């Protein structure tokens, strides 16, 4: 819905600048005939200009997160799936990328970030490093109803084997059913310099929780830490040269309970 404050700021005989115009400008989808007017509007309204810059930074984060997807090989188990024609993996990956960073998806993610900003300041510190990347990955993939994971739970062993090979170390999907979360599946994601793994779980009420596993961490182990990025709460820690982050739109106590169980199952020895 257009922001009435923006409509009131329009001047002259041209249509007023709306919220939709600003989003289209941030996404580089604004019609050429509106470009000059919106740029004048932003030059005259620094507060709105700052909002647009924030959206553009979020778009850049999404592009960095998803750019390598189109180059991923077919996951094991899917390559042998019988189909009438060759599996259009690259086309599907490109389609996923386009759909994810479309204007609609970007607006949805911005809404989550903006709606949770006040709660973030009150509930936990801002995230950095792999914990922030985990929160972004959760925000991107957990709302997806059609293809939230790359390999489903029905191929769990193939998924674990694939992720282990790509990460160069054993990774596992903890069993969280006793806590009310069933494995949906997982995917490989790009980290800063190396692949990372994401496992996704679903609760009976439709809520989703993700476990992000990375080797891009310092050498020292670290105790549980809590933080927040927009509407996403995250518990994260470092153990035995692995970084783990549990992300969900759940309260701190719930995430701590899940994190303790994941830690118990994955702790060496």
């Amino acid at each position: 819905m257009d922001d009435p404050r923006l409509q009131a700021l329009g001047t002259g005989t041209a249509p007023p600048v709306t919220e939709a115009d600003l989003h289209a400008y941030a996404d580089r989808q604004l019609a050429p005939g509106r470009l000059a007017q919106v740029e004048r509007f932003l030059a005259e309204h620094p507060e709105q200009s700052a909002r647009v810059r924030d959206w553009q930074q979020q778009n850049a984060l999404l592009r960095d997160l998803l750019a390598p997807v189109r180059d991923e090989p077919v996951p094991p188990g899917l390559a042998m799936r019988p189909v009438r024609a060759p599996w259009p993996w690259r086309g599907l990956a490109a389609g996923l990328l386009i759909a994810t960073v479309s204007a609609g998806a970007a607006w949805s993610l911005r809404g989550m970030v903006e709606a949770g900003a006040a709660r973030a300041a009150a509930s936990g510190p801002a995230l950095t490093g792999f914990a922030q990347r985990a929160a972004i990955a959760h925000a991107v993939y957990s709302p997806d109803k059609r293809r939230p994971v790359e390999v489903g739970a029905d191929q769990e062993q193939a998924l674990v084997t694939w992720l282990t090979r790509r990460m160069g170390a054993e990774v596992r999907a903890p069993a969280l059913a006793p806590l009310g979360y069933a494995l949906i599946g997982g995917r490989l994601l790009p980290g800063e310099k190396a692949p990372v793994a994401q496992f996704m779980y679903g609760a009976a009420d439709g809520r989703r929780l993700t476990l992000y596993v990375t080797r891009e961490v310092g050498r020292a182990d670290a105790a549980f830490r809590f933080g927040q990025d927009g509407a996403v709460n995250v518990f994260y820690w470092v153990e035995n040269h692995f970084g783990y982050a549990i992300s969900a739109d759940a309260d701190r106590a719930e995430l701590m309970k899940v994190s303790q169980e994941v830690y118990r199952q994955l702790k060496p020895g």
Side-chain angles (χ1 to χ4, degrees):
M1 180 178 296
D2 293 343
D3 188 337
R5 294 174 302 169
L6 298 184
Q7 293 184 359
L9 291 173
T11 59
T13 58
V17 173
T18 66
E19 186 88 354
D21 288 324
L22 298 186
H23 282 292
Y25 179 85
D27 296 331
R28 300 179 182 177
Q29 295 180 350
L30 190 66
R34 292 285 278 168
L35 183 61
Q37 184 188 1
V38 171
E39 288 180 339
R40 285 196 301 271
F41 172 87
L42 293 174
E44 296 169 359
H45 299 89
E47 180 181 351
Q48 301 302 332
S49 182
R51 291 179 68 205
V52 170
R53 285 196 300 273
D54 287 343
W55 298 340
Q56 290 170 330
Q57 291 173 359
Q58 291 166 17
N59 285 348
L61 284 172
L62 288 172
R63 285 194 295 270
D64 290 344
L65 179 66
L66 297 173
V69 170
R70 66 178 181 271
D71 297 323
E72 282 302 315
V74 180
L78 292 182
M80 300 303 294
R81 179 174 295 181
V83 291
R84 297 178 183 176
W87 187 272
W89 183 251
R90 291 181 183 272
L92 285 175
L96 173 63
L97 177 63
I98 294 170
T100 305
V101 299
S102 66
W107 295 2
S108 174
L109 179 57
R110 289 179 196 136
M112 294 172 61
V113 173
E114 292 174 353
R119 188 156 60 97
S123 301
L127 298 171
T128 59
F130 80 87
Q132 183 181 42
R133 294 193 292 275
I136 293 172
H138 177 87
V140 169
Y141 291 109
S142 63
D144 194 329
K145 302 301 182 184
R146 297 183 60 187
R147 197 164 179 264
V149 297
E150 207 151 30
V151 181
D154 59 334
Q155 300 181 70
E156 180 178 348
Q157 187 54 55
L159 169 64
V160 169
T161 300
W162 175 48
L163 294 177
T164 294
R165 185 174 69 248
R166 292 302 307 275
M167 293 186 65
E170 182 182 6
V171 294
R172 291 182 286 135
L176 301 181
L179 299 181
Y181 294 96
L183 180 67
I184 296 174
R187 65 172 63 246
L188 190 74
L189 294 173
E192 280 193 318
K193 298 180 180 178
V196 301
Q198 183 194 61
F199 295 102
M200 186 176 297
Y201 297 80
D205 61 4
R207 289 180 299 124
R208 288 177 172 177
L209 175 148
T210 55
L211 167 62
Y212 185 95
V213 184
T214 177
R215 301 185 71 189
E216 297 181 326
V217 295
R219 300 181 65 86
D221 291 352
F224 287 146
R225 295 183 181 179
F226 176 76
Q228 193 170 41
D229 192 291
V232 181
N233 288 334
V234 182
F235 252 106
Y236 60 102
W237 68 97
V238 176
E239 173 74 14
N240 196 33
H241 309 300
F242 277 86
Y244 302 94
I246 303 288
S247 305
D249 185 11
D251 63 32
R252 183 170 182 157
E254 175 73 5
L255 284 187
M256 172 59 103
K257 181 173 64 175
V258 174
S259 298
Q260 289 173 333
E261 179 61 20
V262 170
Y263 178 81
R264 185 188 69 79
Q265 292 189 36
L266 298 185
K267 183 175 175 62

